[in-house]
Amino acid sequence: TQLLEQSPQFLSIQEGENLTVYCNSSSVFSSLQWYRQEPGEGPVLLVTVVTGGEVKKLKRLTFQFGDARKDSSLHITAAQPGDTGLYLCAGGGSAGGTSYGKLTFGQGTILTVHP
Amino acid sequence: GAGVSQSPSNKVTEKGKDVELRCDPISGHTALYWYRQSLGQGLEFLIYFQGNSAPDKSGLPSDRFSAERTGGSVSTLTIQRTQQEDSAVYLCASSLVTSGGKYEQYFGPGTRLTVT
């Protein structure tokens, strides 16, 4: 069974601060995705990383996939109140495995950015 | 193009009643997933349909839960004899599963189920 441990579970910060959310596993994933969910809506895909060591930037958000494809991080620079939401990481299984086509989700990080 | 749609958006039902939740996936997506989410929590996998393969039902919490996908498109999640612990948001997602292993899932807005 593939598991993803996400930390921290809760994060409350002031506008302008930086933060990092971590997603760790003992399993290797073929891909790693980050989603953001706002209240009353479904999760929205932010980014997919597939190569070990890959770094992707989306404005103030930086996503990194670990070299061994077992972990990932999301770093937000100069957080804004609009960044508030639930952040979820999700790992994709390997082709041919029992988890092919499925995602394993982390427990989520609830981020609150205060003005 | 249109995203994933779900109906109803909210459903209030009495304990013991049956409910049906509907999901319309993105056209052309071969995979469809159902998840359950309690307030502020992560996603609990329920069931996964991929093409013509037998569905992966490993996440269904009890035999009161069932789902079907007709014609490879629309899916219905049925909960029989609802219990108060079934109250949650039920999310549907669809994906174009590829051998590249991205499995990018696109979610609907969810159905909020309240069992009284």
Side-chain angles (χ1 to χ4, degrees):
Chain A
T1 302
Q2 296 179 309
L3 295 174
L4 271 172
E5 296 290 333
Q6 196 170 333
S7 63
Q9 186 176 358
F10 300 96
L11 201 49
S12 180
I13 62 173
Q14 293 297 126
E15 181 176 2
E17 292 183 5
N18 301 332
L19 67 111
T20 303
V21 178
Y22 299 93
C23 190
N24 296 295
S25 176
S26 58
S27 301
V28 175
F29 292 98
S30 59
S31 66
L32 200 295
Q33 297 168 18
W34 286 91
Y35 293 81
R36 175 167 167 262
Q37 184 179 22
E38 296 189 49
E41 300 181 6
V44 175
L45 179 66
L46 295 175
V47 76
T48 301
V49 285
V50 296
T51 305
E54 183 175 2
V55 177
K56 281 193 174 179
K57 292 190 175 184
L58 185 65
K59 297 184 179 178
R60 295 175 293 100
L61 278 60
T62 302
F63 305 86
Q64 185 163 7
F65 202 11
D67 290 342
R69 292 187 291 142
K70 293 182 178 181
D71 53 81
S72 180
S73 64
L74 158 61
H75 182 79
I76 301 179
T77 303
Q80 299 178 0
D83 296 327
T84 294
L86 173 67
Y87 289 81
L88 295 159
C89 64
S94 298
T98 57
S99 58
Y100 179 61
K102 291 170 62 174
L103 291 177
T104 299
F105 280 87
Q107 309 97 309
T109 295
I110 297 176
L111 170 65
T112 304
V113 182
H114 301 280
Chain B
V4 177
S5 61
Q6 291 185 247
S7 60
S9 55
N10 283 284
K11 176 72 176 179
V12 180
T13 190
E14 292 180 353
K15 177 182 173 181
K17 300 280 190 183
D18 297 352
V19 294
E20 285 189 351
L21 311 180
R22 177 187 168 103
C23 173
D24 281 272
I26 293 173
S27 178
H29 278 191
T30 56
L32 187 147
Y33 311 79
W34 284 98
Y35 297 90
R36 181 167 69 175
Q37 185 177 37
S38 298
L39 187 62
Q41 300 297 306
L43 304 182
E44 177 188 3
F45 166 77
L46 297 177
I47 189 169
Y48 159 43
F49 296 90
Q50 166 56 10
N52 295 320
S53 302
D56 179 342
K57 304 179 182 180
S58 60
L60 294 179
S62 77
D63 58 8
R64 295 187 296 105
F65 288 73
S66 63
E68 63 177 19
R69 188 179 185 192
T70 55
S73 180
V74 171
S75 177
T76 302
L77 176 68
T78 301
I79 308 173
Q80 296 178 311
R81 305 181 301 283
T82 52
Q83 304 294 313
Q84 288 187 330
E85 59 263 29
D86 299 334
S87 296
V89 174
Y90 289 82
L91 290 161
C92 174
S94 70
S95 175
L96 186 61
V97 176
T98 68
S99 59
K102 284 193 174 183
Y103 316 153
E104 293 173 339
Q105 295 187 13
Y106 296 86
F107 286 82
T111 293
R112 180 174 297 279
L113 175 66
T114 303
V115 182
T116 61

